[in-house]
Amino acid sequence: MIQLIKNDLSTGRYYLIMVYLYILFLISAMITALVKDTGGMLAGIFLFVFIAVSGASGFIAPLVDSTGKGDVLRVSLPVRRYTLVLARYISSFIVAVAACMTGFAVIFTAVTLFHIDDPVLHLLLSVRGMTGLTAAVLLLISYGLPFWFKYAELNPIFRALVAPGVLLLCIQGAGQLRAVRNGALQRIMELLTLVQNNVRDWIFGMGVSHPLNTVLAVLCAIVLLSLGSSIVFYRKRDI
Amino acid sequence: MKIIISNSSPDPIYEQVGKQIKAQVLSGELKEGDALPSIRALAKELQISVITTKRAYDELIKEGFVDSVGGKGCFIAMQNKELLKEKRMKTIEEKLGVAVNDAQKLGIPLGDLKEMLDLLYREESE
Amino acid sequence: MANVLEIKKLRKTYPGFMLKDISFSLPEGYVMGLIGPNGAGKTSIIKLIMNLIHSDGGEISIFGMHHGKDSVAIKERIGFVYDNPSWYTHLTLKQIKNLIAPFYRSWDESRFQELITTFGLPLKKRLSTFSRGMVMKSAIAIALSHHADFIVMDEPTSGLDPVFRRELLDLFYEILQSEKKSILFSTHITSDLEKIADFITFILEGTLIFTDTKDNVTENYAIIKGGLSLVDNLTEGLFKGMRKTAFGFEALTDNVKEVKKRYGRDVVVDSASLEDIMYFSKLRSSDDTAH
């Protein structure tokens, strides 16, 4: 199991190149932030979209294992299929969390270094922002992995399902950019908080618990659901 | 021990192996108690399949040329002198049978055949 | 004699392809060649054995264990070589080895090093720079480095030059010196591993044509050549696949004795190679579909 995770992490080196690239993106976004006050939002969008896209496609799958054939080797080894699934989840999460942390670190350094006063960046760096974003990324990975375990490659069906999501994110990002200009950020944030509270109340009855716990609980439930379906899919799959 | 396998021979490979070992027993090259290579070692040397070698050995055991000593391998069996002679006679008989058969097909009378045999026998012993 | 592999009534349906009730077994300590033209279903059978794909019916037992339930214990003792080793080409052979070796309790590093040296493989070059033959050699080296009791190979000789194919043969003979080791390989190039195979299983279009010892196959099968006047309805059952020319016919039979008895000196009987058997059987099956 540990060996499988180690293998995933060591073969996922192409992913690291992408991480470097995205740090460059972040930094350039920071520099834009010095000029205009929209940079913070831009950085946030970069961070989220990048991690989401790579995460949702089961990060290693399309980047390293573009043919989906590594499966043949893994399944031929003396390992159970559910162990393979579990290991892939853990390694995906490790990489995703590490990428998020790197992102926050870069933003934090930039913010303190250049004394950027951008509301979005400050939100990103708050406990709430950090947990929220990380949770969102993990959720997206949880959404993507079952597809990967069912169809292996970036199969047409899979793409058809993921692409609209990414598009939606981009449109939303662009919309928010305009919203910032109109000074409507405050209103959007209020709306988001409202939605979040509603969802929380809907799941846990009357908003009893601490927001952090709620996020964790919802996340766990979804991750377990995703893991369960991945195991079922992978067990049944012909490789 | 010498064994040569021919791929163009009409005889199956197990028979080729068996025949050559038998011939060497009959000629005295292989003596009673001589160890034969293990089935798998022989298969490797001759580059033939294990089961073919096994079949060759099995037939030799059945015909009494070879004894299989459990765990130790195969050895040339103790040969009954009379039996051996009988076996050799039998092979000669078989070969003569082929000659007779061919002669009959060509319509050569027995007398001519006998003359031929006389001639050959004398030539060989000279 | 225990069977290392036992397959009973195995079925698998793909769109446009079907494995139909395949049954055969391989006794421990022997070599089986799984032959058939491309697309006959050899790879599917190997994938079913390795539990990569799921059957639609039938049973597979390996080392006397259920191939699904005990798959981990079984795979620990299997060395596998696939037609198209699906490795990460951006890694070096050493890195690949490091990915695989920890999964086998009986991994023998010195054996691996020895094989790599014999095969002349570079440890520190990326796999993307390897030729097809080198990739195949690497796969074979890895498969032979954990003292597997059962070696399963899909087209192991494709992409290898004749000299190396011979060397490989020696390697397999060495492994076979132990009575506990068995080998199953599929191939459509029958000539090179034909020597070592104890059993031949012939698959054609998802159907088992025969499974028998190689000696029996070469004894019973033959190529019959003769004049066209001999070809009549009687020959139907006797000849499996026939090629007619203006000067006569060539046909495959699986019953040499009967042919010799019936036609005697009117026909020429040539020994049939496995390749002949594949070719003529294929002719017959395409005839059948045409009618």
Side-chain angles (χ1 to χ4, degrees):
Chain A
M1 175 81 157
I2 291 162
Q3 186 59 39
L4 280 168
I5 297 167
K6 258 164 59 185
N7 285 0
D8 272 354
L9 297 182
S10 70
T11 48
R13 71 156 73 153
Y14 282 154
Y15 184 77
L16 284 180
I17 297 169
M18 303 280 280
V19 171
Y20 296 140
L21 272 179
Y22 114 83
I23 290 172
L24 280 180
F25 270 131
L26 272 182
I27 291 170
S28 53
M30 293 294 135
I31 294 163
T32 337
L34 288 174
V35 188
K36 282 178 197 165
D37 60 0
T38 54
M41 184 55 89
L42 209 65
I45 291 165
F46 266 132
L47 180 65
F48 187 71
V49 168
F50 171 78
I51 303 173
V53 171
S54 51
S57 25
F59 77 100
I60 286 173
L63 295 173
V64 176
D65 206 1
S66 52
T67 50
K69 275 190 167 175
D71 273 333
V72 175
L73 174 69
R74 273 192 295 274
V75 176
S76 301
L77 291 171
V79 195
R80 292 228 164 263
R81 286 200 186 192
Y82 69 74
T83 320
L84 292 172
V85 176
L86 203 59
R88 174 52 54 92
Y89 266 78
I90 294 173
S91 49
S92 295
F93 283 5
I94 289 174
V95 172
V97 170
C100 286
M101 291 306 139
T102 325
F104 295 134
V106 171
I107 295 172
F108 179 76
T109 322
V111 166
T112 34
L113 221 61
F114 302 121
H115 305 290
I116 303 168
D117 190 27
D118 187 303
V120 183
L121 285 184
H122 284 295
L123 184 74
L124 270 177
L125 288 177
S126 68
V127 175
R128 201 173 175 188
M130 276 158 75
T131 23
L133 195 68
T134 315
V137 168
L138 295 190
L139 283 181
L140 258 147
I141 294 177
S142 304
Y143 162 76
L145 278 175
F147 286 99
W148 189 74
F149 280 111
K150 189 158 172 64
Y151 300 109
E153 306 159 49
L154 280 176
N155 156 300
I157 306 169
F158 177 42
R159 247 177 286 163
L161 282 165
V162 168
V166 174
L167 202 67
L168 202 73
L169 280 173
C170 293
I171 292 169
Q172 222 176 21
Q176 285 197 5
L177 259 184
R178 205 179 302 147
V180 175
R181 284 228 170 130
N182 298 342
L185 175 68
Q186 206 62 38
R187 249 175 49 213
I188 289 172
M189 289 324 287
E190 274 170 15
L191 198 71
L192 281 178
T193 325
L194 196 70
V195 171
Q196 194 192 338
N197 288 340
N198 280 343
V199 170
R200 195 206 316 153
D201 292 350
W202 177 60
I203 295 172
F204 290 96
M206 301 304 121
V208 223
S209 43
H210 187 271
L212 208 63
N213 291 341
T214 317
V215 170
L216 269 174
V218 175
L219 190 63
C220 281
I222 291 176
V223 166
L224 284 179
L225 193 72
S226 158
L227 182 64
S229 44
S230 286
I231 290 174
V232 171
F233 287 153
Y234 203 54
R235 274 213 180 134
K236 283 191 183 156
R237 203 174 100 202
D238 282 353
I239 292 159
Chain B
M1 199 170 94
K2 190 179 92 180
I3 297 175
I4 292 161
I5 301 290
S6 159
N7 282 327
S8 52
S9 159
D11 289 341
I13 291 169
Y14 77 91
E15 247 180 63
Q16 293 186 37
V17 175
K19 267 186 187 169
Q20 292 179 52
I21 292 178
K22 264 190 271 182
Q24 287 171 58
V25 173
L26 292 178
S27 71
E29 268 172 75
L30 284 173
K31 287 183 196 69
E32 185 189 320
D34 282 356
L36 288 176
S38 80
I39 289 173
R40 283 165 193 273
L42 187 66
K44 181 180 184 232
E45 290 308 314
L46 299 177
Q47 298 233 318
I48 58 177
S49 75
V50 172
I51 218 167
T52 308
T53 323
K54 193 173 175 323
R55 188 164 168 191
Y57 275 30
D58 283 349
E59 306 239 326
L60 287 171
I61 291 168
K62 215 165 67 191
E63 289 171 41
F65 283 92
V66 168
D67 277 337
S68 162
V69 181
K72 281 188 180 166
C74 291
F75 299 88
I76 301 297
M78 191 171 73
Q79 301 292 324
N80 183 321
K81 289 276 152 60
E82 285 302 307
L83 203 71
L84 204 63
K85 198 173 175 193
E86 214 171 279
K87 273 181 194 155
R88 288 186 201 182
M89 288 290 283
K90 211 172 167 209
T91 41
I92 295 169
E93 212 177 284
E94 269 168 22
K95 282 178 185 163
L96 280 176
V98 175
V100 168
N101 204 347
D102 282 357
Q104 277 171 342
K105 273 182 196 150
L106 287 172
I108 297 169
L110 181 63
D112 289 5
L113 203 61
K114 275 183 181 164
E115 250 172 57
M116 222 186 274
L117 190 64
D118 274 354
L119 214 66
L120 277 173
Y121 197 89
R122 260 178 250 134
E123 260 176 32
E124 286 292 320
S125 29
E126 267 163 24
Chain C
M1 198 158 36
N3 283 331
V4 63
L5 173 70
E6 218 172 295
I7 292 181
K8 275 189 211 138
K9 293 201 177 257
L10 192 61
R11 272 187 293 118
K12 174 77 189 171
T13 316
Y14 282 119
F17 175 77
M18 209 177 140
L19 273 182
K20 301 170 200 102
D21 291 335
I22 305 286
S23 305
F24 63 86
S25 56
L26 173 62
E28 190 178 70
Y30 292 100
V31 182
M32 178 181 277
L34 193 58
I35 65 165
N38 285 332
K42 296 172 303 218
T43 300
S44 296
I45 291 175
I46 287 189
K47 282 185 161 182
L48 283 162
I49 292 172
M50 289 306 292
N51 213 5
L52 289 175
I53 57 178
H54 303 281
S55 70
D56 297 328
E59 274 173 43
I60 302 176
S61 68
I62 304 167
F63 305 123
M65 296 185 273
H66 186 273
H67 93 301
K69 263 203 327 256
D70 306 311
S71 75
V72 172
I74 290 171
K75 283 173 184 170
E76 173 81 40
R77 292 167 63 193
I78 287 186
F80 59 88
V81 175
Y82 296 135
D83 183 15
N84 214 335
S86 42
W87 289 341
Y88 307 114
T89 48
H90 67 283
L91 299 183
T92 64
L93 179 53
K94 193 178 169 175
Q95 287 170 316
I96 297 270
K97 185 265 296 176
N98 287 338
L99 295 185
I100 296 173
F103 289 97
Y104 295 102
R105 252 172 276 152
S106 46
W107 181 267
D108 184 344
E109 185 61 28
S110 59
R111 168 82 170 147
F112 176 74
Q113 295 296 341
E114 190 189 316
L115 286 168
I116 292 302
T117 321
T118 329
F119 292 177
L121 292 169
L123 271 172
K124 289 184 178 155
K125 271 194 184 165
R126 280 166 187 251
L127 247 66
S128 49
T129 65
F130 277 28
S131 69
R132 186 170 157 71
M134 284 162 83
V135 173
M136 217 63 204
K137 285 182 188 182
S138 311
I140 292 167
I142 288 177
L144 300 183
S145 291
H146 60 95
H147 301 290
D149 292 322
F150 185 27
I151 293 159
V152 178
M153 297 178 286
D154 191 11
E155 304 279 356
T157 51
S158 62
L160 297 178
D161 61 83
V163 177
F164 184 70
R165 293 210 295 255
R166 279 294 174 87
E167 287 167 15
L168 199 58
L169 216 56
D170 286 333
L171 208 65
F172 291 148
Y173 274 116
E174 226 165 78
I175 291 166
L176 284 172
Q177 294 307 302
S178 156
E179 285 170 28
K180 299 271 172 219
K181 310 267 176 178
S182 322
I183 299 176
L184 172 78
F185 64 88
S186 80
T187 184
H188 63 271
I189 316 165
T190 53
S191 54
D192 38 62
L193 289 178
E194 196 173 337
K195 285 172 185 251
I196 201 172
D198 297 299
F199 295 89
I200 300 287
T201 298
F202 179 27
I203 308 283
L204 184 64
E205 284 159 14
T207 313
L208 181 89
I209 306 292
F210 61 75
T211 174
D212 206 344
T213 64
K214 187 186 62 202
D215 292 338
N216 282 347
V217 172
T218 42
E219 236 167 83
N220 295 333
Y221 279 82
I223 297 293
I224 309 297
K225 294 171 188 168
L228 284 172
S229 57
L230 290 176
V231 181
D232 55 32
N233 289 334
L234 279 174
T235 56
E236 273 298 298
L238 219 45
F239 291 161
K240 318 269 173 211
M242 183 181 296
R243 199 174 72 93
K244 288 180 207 166
T245 67
F247 309 104
F249 75 90
E250 261 185 293
L252 178 77
T253 182
D254 61 352
N255 194 345
V256 192
K257 279 181 202 140
E258 182 61 29
V259 169
K260 279 186 178 161
K261 210 165 85 189
R262 209 183 285 180
Y263 300 103
R265 286 168 179 253
D266 295 339
V267 292
V268 173
V269 178
D270 272 354
S271 59
S273 68
L274 293 177
E275 220 164 292
D276 291 328
I277 295 175
M278 279 208 293
Y279 170 73
F280 282 98
S281 304
K282 178 95 183 152
L283 272 188
R284 177 189 169 94
S285 77
S286 42
D287 269 4
D288 286 352
T289 38
H291 290 163

